[in-house]
């Protein structure tokens, strides 16, 4: 079972709420995905309205909300947004996203680290979205992040795990769960992320813009389960053994 | 959080049982999987793996060359003092051993330094017993001031210190600290350390945490092989290493495997470790961990050392004296233990070259101190 901060999750598939053609379809797809953690962009929610369309469609006992700070450009704005979210949505969980770059939405590592330090002091459970940078991940962990969310490829690109070599290092070194976020375009990408040992994946665009989002959500659910099962069953090594030269241990028999 | 919390989750007998029940299938899995866990490490050090020595050696060599190339680092110990207020059943410097005690003064240190320098060394390992009245942090500070200008890299193998003491020494050029737990078996630890500060098992166990927090560049771990079941002790070392690497991720790590050596009035090893088993252990660590440095001292025989540089070892000492003043001041004083490989550093360097490797005398320079 996956544990982040004090919460346990049966499902290792996290999902998002953006880009669906309707809230009804979104709700149906999220239910088909089995996801228990769903990220919501704060800027899209009407926080003064308890009947907000997105929020009403997310009211299910097993679904926890993960507000994200998408849209903020620096640590200061992120801390402000986080406090608003905590009050409005009554959760101290936060997906910290700071991307000052409007074109590729690349996360800003310096502002993200700063914001994590501040938010940790304010008692937030922080899941920062970042580039697949192993050193940054360790710095965030030290700063108090409860998980790290490195990207697989540019957000919304559906290009899959272009950063796989770095994701592997991050997974190997991390003391907190690693959630691969952004770029996962197909169930096989999600399965691959799970096979290399990611603790969870976050998928939004690939489900929302699929021909049949509900069927695609179900496919992701199975892919994540298959990938996790493969990881636990231990994958074989792809490399070859070095060709035998003269035996290295024969000397041991000569004593 | 310190390692102690993790350590306490593991029961010695259960760990031992689980290592000894590993099968050939577990070993083959450990050799072939893409990522290895501590369970794989158990399989690799288990009796079942003794039949896989050659494939283990090949894999170990391949991984070592991938990370370190064909190089072997050279270091030499400099014993500063044989004063000790502890009783350790296996050590020549033990308080109950009636030998003449000596702590080198500044002049004597410089005399020793001169000889060591003339052998070509740039990396020196300072060694003492534990005599907090005379050999304390102020003594180390003075020693570092004297020694540091002559060497690119200075390491220490002395009594465990407090975090603030390490913090005082690192800026003076202390690069690495070796701190062996001796054994992770608590009861046996007590038996072998009946008197003195060293009898505090937990203080020793938490030393790497204090070093990590102090920001040391490199630390060395290990157990004294011969005190207890080496397989179980090695698992705990691996567990410790694993924890440290994730927690103090900016620090580098090294391992060594001192086997109990004879000394005057000495203790017979409770557990024998054969050369084959030592090769198995070296390869197991390397297969588990591609980055860790592995060093081999002059405790081991010539022949064994000649072959081990191919197998996963990355640093060795040569020409070592294990007595204070041994190089120049008082060559005949009592040694801590007998060395086995008596060849000179130049001969060892030649042996390394003949094996197709490069002896590296200097690979570090701290430009900031
Ligand atoms: S092992 Fe160290 S502490 Fe123990 S008696 Fe020898 S020098 Fe002293």
């Amino acid at each position: 079972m996956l544990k982040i901060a004090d919460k346990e999750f049966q499902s290792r598939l996290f999902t998002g709420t953006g880009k669906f053609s309707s809230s009804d379809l979104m709700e149906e797809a999220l239910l088909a995905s089995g996801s228990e953690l769903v990220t919501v962009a704060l800027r899209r929610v009407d926080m003064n309205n308890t009947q907000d369309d997105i929020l009403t469609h997310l009211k299910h006992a097993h679904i926890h909300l993960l507000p994200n700070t998408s849209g903020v450009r620096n640590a200061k704005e992120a801390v402000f947004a986080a406090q608003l979210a905590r009050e409005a949505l009554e959760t101290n969980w936060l997906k910290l996203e700071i991307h000052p770059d409007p074109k590729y939405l690349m996360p800003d590592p310096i502002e993200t680290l700063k914001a994590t330090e501040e938010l940790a002091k304010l008692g937030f459970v922080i899941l920062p979205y970042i580039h697949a940078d192993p050193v940054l991940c360790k710095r965030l962990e030290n700063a108090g992040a409860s998980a790290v969310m490195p990207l697989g490829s540019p957000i919304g690109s559906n290009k899959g795990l272009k950063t796989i070599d770095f994701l592997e290092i991050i997974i190997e070194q991390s003391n907190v769960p690693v959630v691969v976020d952004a770029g996962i375009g197909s169930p096989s990408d999600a399965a691959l992320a799970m096979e290399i040992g990611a603790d969870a994946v976050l998928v939004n665009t690939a489900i929302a813009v699929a021909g049949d989002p509900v069927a695609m959500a179900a496919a992701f659910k199975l892919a994540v389960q298959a990938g996790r099962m493969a990881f636990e069953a231990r994958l074989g090594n792809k490399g070859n053994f070095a060709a035998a030269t003269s035996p290295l241990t024969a000397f041991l028999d000569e004593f | 959080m310190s390692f102690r919390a993790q350590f306490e989750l593991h029961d010695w007998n259960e760990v031992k049982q689980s290592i000894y029940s590993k099968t050939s299938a577990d070993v083959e899995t450990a050799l072939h999987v893409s990522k290895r866990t501590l369970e794989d490490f158990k399989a690799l050090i288990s009796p079942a793996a003794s039949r896989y020595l050659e494939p283990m050696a090949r894999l170990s060599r391949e991984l070592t060359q991938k990370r370190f190339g064909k190089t072997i680092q050279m270091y030499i110990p400099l014993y500063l003092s044989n004063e000790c207020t502890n009783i350790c059943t296996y050590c020549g410097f033990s308080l109950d051993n009636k030998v003449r005690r000596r702590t080198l003064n500044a002049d004597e240190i410089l005399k020793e330094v001169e000889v060591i320098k003339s052998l070509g060394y740039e990396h020196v390992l300072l060694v003492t017993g534990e005599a907090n009245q005379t050999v304390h942090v102020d003594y180390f500070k003075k020693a570092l001031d004297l020694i540091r200008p002559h060497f690119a890299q200075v390491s220490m193998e002395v009594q465990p210190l407090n975090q603030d003491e390490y913090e005082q020494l690192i800026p003076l050029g202390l690069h690495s600290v070796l701190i062996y737990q001796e054994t992770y078996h608590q009861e046996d630890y007590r038996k072998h350390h009946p008197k003195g500060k060293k009898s505090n098992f937990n203080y020793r166990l938490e030393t790497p945490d204090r070093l990590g927090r102090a920001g040391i560049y490199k630390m060395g771990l290990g157990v004294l092989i011969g005190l207890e079941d080496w397989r179980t002790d090695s698992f705990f070392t691996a567990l410790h290493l694993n924890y440290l690497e994730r927690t103090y991720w900016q620090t580098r790590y090294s391992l060594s495997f001192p086997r109990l050596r004879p000394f005057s009035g000495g203790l017979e090893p409770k557990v024998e470790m054969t050369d084959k088993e030592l090769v198995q252990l070296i390869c197991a660590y390397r297969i588990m961990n591609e980055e860790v440095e592995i060093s081999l001292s002059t405790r081991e025989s010539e022949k064994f050392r000649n072959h081990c540089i191919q197998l996963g070892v990355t640093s060795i000492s040569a020409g070592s004296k294990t007595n204070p003043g041994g190089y120049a001041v008082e060559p005949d004083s009592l040694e801590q233990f007998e060395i086995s490989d008596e060849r000179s550093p130049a001969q060892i360097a030649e042996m390394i070259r003949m094996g197709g490797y490069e002896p590296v005398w200097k690979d570090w320079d701290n430009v900031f101190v």
Side-chain angles (χ1 to χ4, degrees):
Chain A
M1 203 166 341
L2 169 62
K3 190 164 183 218
I4 300 179
D6 56 348
K7 272 198 180 85
E8 288 185 343
F9 300 93
Q10 309 277 346
S11 164
R12 292 172 182 272
L13 173 59
F14 299 163
T15 48
T17 48
K19 302 188 186 178
F20 285 94
S21 57
S22 76
S23 292
D24 287 336
L25 188 60
M26 172 194 83
E27 182 176 8
E28 218 185 314
L30 297 188
L31 291 176
S33 75
S35 179
E36 295 160 303
L37 192 69
V38 176
T39 173
V40 220
L42 271 172
R43 60 189 159 83
R44 291 193 53 218
V45 182
D46 178 357
M47 285 188 280
N48 296 317
N49 175 8
T50 48
Q51 295 308 305
D52 174 88
D53 191 43
I54 297 178
L55 296 183
T56 32
H57 282 85
L58 294 177
K59 284 213 170 91
H60 293 277
H62 70 283
I63 293 184
H64 299 284
L65 291 188
L66 179 63
N68 72 54
T69 58
S70 167
V72 307
R73 291 159 307 167
N74 57 43
K76 204 169 149 224
E77 291 177 8
V79 172
F80 183 66
Q83 284 166 320
L84 276 183
R86 177 158 67 179
E87 231 168 89
L89 303 179
E90 293 174 348
T91 173
N92 62 344
W93 282 55
L94 184 77
K95 179 180 172 197
L96 178 62
E97 286 188 50
I98 305 180
H99 26 69
D101 142 44
K103 187 172 176 201
Y104 291 107
L105 307 177
M106 286 290 128
D108 182 329
I110 296 165
E111 294 296 316
T112 304
L113 181 59
K114 254 197 250 169
T116 302
E117 282 163 355
E118 285 183 41
L119 291 166
K121 283 185 211 136
L122 298 171
F124 281 90
V125 173
I126 310 147
L127 292 76
Y129 165 61
I130 38 162
H131 215 288
D133 179 338
V135 172
L136 178 61
C137 286
K138 292 307 284 182
R139 297 285 299 259
L140 288 165
E141 184 183 311
N142 290 357
S146 295
V148 287
M149 304 185 81
L151 54 77
S153 53
I155 194 166
S157 70
N158 285 347
K159 283 184 180 171
L161 305 190
K162 295 293 184 206
T163 57
I164 187 163
D165 292 349
F166 307 101
L167 292 173
E168 287 185 309
I169 297 171
I170 292 168
I171 290 164
E172 185 192 310
Q173 296 185 338
S174 189
N175 282 320
V176 293
V178 178
V179 183
V180 177
D181 185 7
I184 289 179
S186 64
S188 57
D189 295 334
L192 179 58
M194 298 310 293
E195 280 175 10
I196 64 170
D199 295 281
V201 293
L202 192 145
V203 183
N204 184 178
T205 304
I207 294 176
V209 304
D212 180 347
V214 179
M216 189 57 83
F220 268 102
K221 176 181 176 175
L222 296 173
V224 168
Q225 285 171 354
R228 179 66 190 180
M229 215 189 255
F231 170 73
E232 282 169 3
R234 320 289 314 278
L235 290 147
N237 199 348
K238 292 197 181 107
N240 297 322
F241 272 77
T245 47
S246 50
L248 294 170
T249 52
F251 78 99
L252 291 165
D253 298 321
E254 293 164 18
F255 287 102
Chain B
M1 242 279 274
S2 80
F3 175 64
R4 198 169 145 192
Q6 262 206 31
F7 174 75
E8 282 167 0
L9 296 176
H10 294 79
D11 175 76
W12 177 279
N13 290 325
E14 276 168 27
V15 169
K16 186 171 176 184
Q17 162 76 28
S18 124
I19 295 170
Y20 280 81
S21 57
K22 292 289 180 197
T23 63
S24 299
D26 296 325
V27 181
E28 290 192 18
T29 304
L31 284 172
H32 290 101
V33 285
S34 59
K35 285 193 190 67
R36 297 182 182 90
T37 63
L38 284 169
E39 286 303 308
D40 295 317
F41 181 73
K42 283 183 185 167
L44 294 171
I45 56 172
S46 73
S50 62
R51 292 190 296 282
Y52 294 84
L53 222 47
E54 186 62 23
M56 281 177 70
R58 260 183 272 143
L59 184 53
S60 171
R61 183 169 80 153
E62 186 189 329
L63 296 172
T64 308
Q65 287 185 6
K66 190 172 109 194
R67 170 79 189 201
F68 296 90
K70 295 181 117 189
T71 63
I72 300 285
Q73 312 280 337
M74 305 289 294
Y75 74 95
I76 193 164
L78 166 51
Y79 278 69
L80 296 175
S81 171
N82 63 0
E83 289 189 59
C84 193
T85 52
N86 291 321
I87 292 182
C88 301
T89 56
Y90 46 79
C91 176
F93 295 169
S94 185
L95 176 68
D96 54 352
N97 222 354
K98 296 290 167 246
V99 292
R100 211 154 62 77
R101 304 288 169 163
R102 167 196 272 288
T103 295
L104 301 187
N105 63 29
D107 283 349
E108 292 168 336
I109 290 175
L110 288 174
K111 280 199 189 115
E112 296 284 292
V113 163
E114 204 182 315
V115 176
I116 291 175
K117 283 296 287 186
S118 73
L119 298 173
Y121 282 101
E122 280 293 338
H123 177 190
V124 69
L125 167 66
L126 309 180
V127 188
T128 69
E130 174 155 14
N132 292 303
Q133 302 300 325
T134 39
V135 185
H136 37 55
V137 72
D138 291 329
Y139 178 84
F140 295 132
K141 279 185 181 164
K142 284 187 199 124
L144 277 174
D145 280 340
L146 280 173
I147 294 166
R148 166 74 185 120
H150 302 279
F151 294 95
Q153 188 172 334
V154 182
S155 306
M156 238 169 67
E157 188 180 332
V158 307
Q159 73 271 31
L161 302 174
N162 293 333
Q163 185 180 332
D164 67 300
E165 294 175 317
Y166 289 128
E167 282 164 359
Q168 295 172 52
L169 297 175
I170 293 166
L172 301 178
L174 177 62
H175 176 264
S176 55
V177 173
L178 314 187
I179 178 77
Y180 305 140
Q181 186 59 33
E182 317 295 14
T183 176
Y184 287 87
H185 188 293
Q186 287 203 55
E187 280 149 43
D188 260 54
Y189 184 94
R190 234 171 275 137
K191 257 187 256 162
H192 289 293
H193 307 99
K195 185 177 178 309
K197 217 178 156 198
K198 194 167 172 179
S199 55
N200 186 342
F201 179 88
N202 286 328
Y203 184 70
R204 198 168 187 89
L205 190 70
E206 290 178 333
T207 307
D209 279 289
R210 296 195 298 278
L211 275 166
R213 285 194 289 266
I216 193 76
Y217 295 97
K218 181 158 95 183
M219 65 174 107
L221 310 178
V223 291
L224 184 54
I225 289 169
L227 294 186
E228 243 302 335
D229 180 61
W230 64 264
R231 299 177 206 270
T232 313
D233 254 335
S234 300
F235 168 80
F236 279 103
T237 312
L239 181 77
H240 208 158
L241 175 64
N242 195 288
Y243 157 85
L244 291 166
E245 277 190 330
R246 283 169 184 250
T247 311
Y248 309 103
W249 52 278
Q250 299 181 56
T251 297
R252 295 200 300 173
Y253 296 90
S254 69
L255 291 171
S256 35
F257 319 97
R259 287 195 275 189
L260 256 183
R261 294 285 308 163
F263 73 95
S264 52
L267 173 90
E268 281 300 308
K270 170 175 170 184
V271 189
E272 283 280 356
M273 177 193 233
T274 64
D275 285 349
K276 265 191 186 158
E277 289 170 337
L278 182 50
V279 166
Q280 184 188 345
L281 181 61
I282 290 172
C283 296
Y285 271 119
R286 173 60 68 227
I287 294 169
M288 178 71 197
N289 187 317
E290 294 180 20
E291 291 80 35
V292 71
E293 296 178 22
I294 294 181
S295 76
L296 207 59
S297 78
T298 49
R299 286 169 187 256
E300 303 303 337
S301 72
E302 276 191 43
K303 184 171 178 191
F304 189 78
R305 292 188 354 132
N306 291 354
H307 285 91
C308 275
I309 60 164
Q310 305 273 347
L311 296 179
V313 165
T314 58
S315 81
I316 64 177
S317 52
S320 308
K321 303 287 178 207
T322 68
N323 46 335
Y327 297 103
V329 176
E330 191 186 352
D332 294 328
S333 70
L334 179 95
E335 298 169 325
Q336 187 183 27
F337 56 86
E338 275 175 33
I339 66 169
S340 179
D341 184 345
E342 306 262 7
R343 287 173 292 179
S344 69
Q347 285 172 314
I348 294 290
E350 186 51 26
M351 177 274 284
I352 292 171
R353 269 185 228 108
M354 295 293 288
Y357 283 68
E358 155 120 11
V360 174
W361 301 88
K362 173 173 186 290
D363 88 319
W364 170 261
D365 211 324
N366 191 340
V367 290
F368 304 108
V369 292

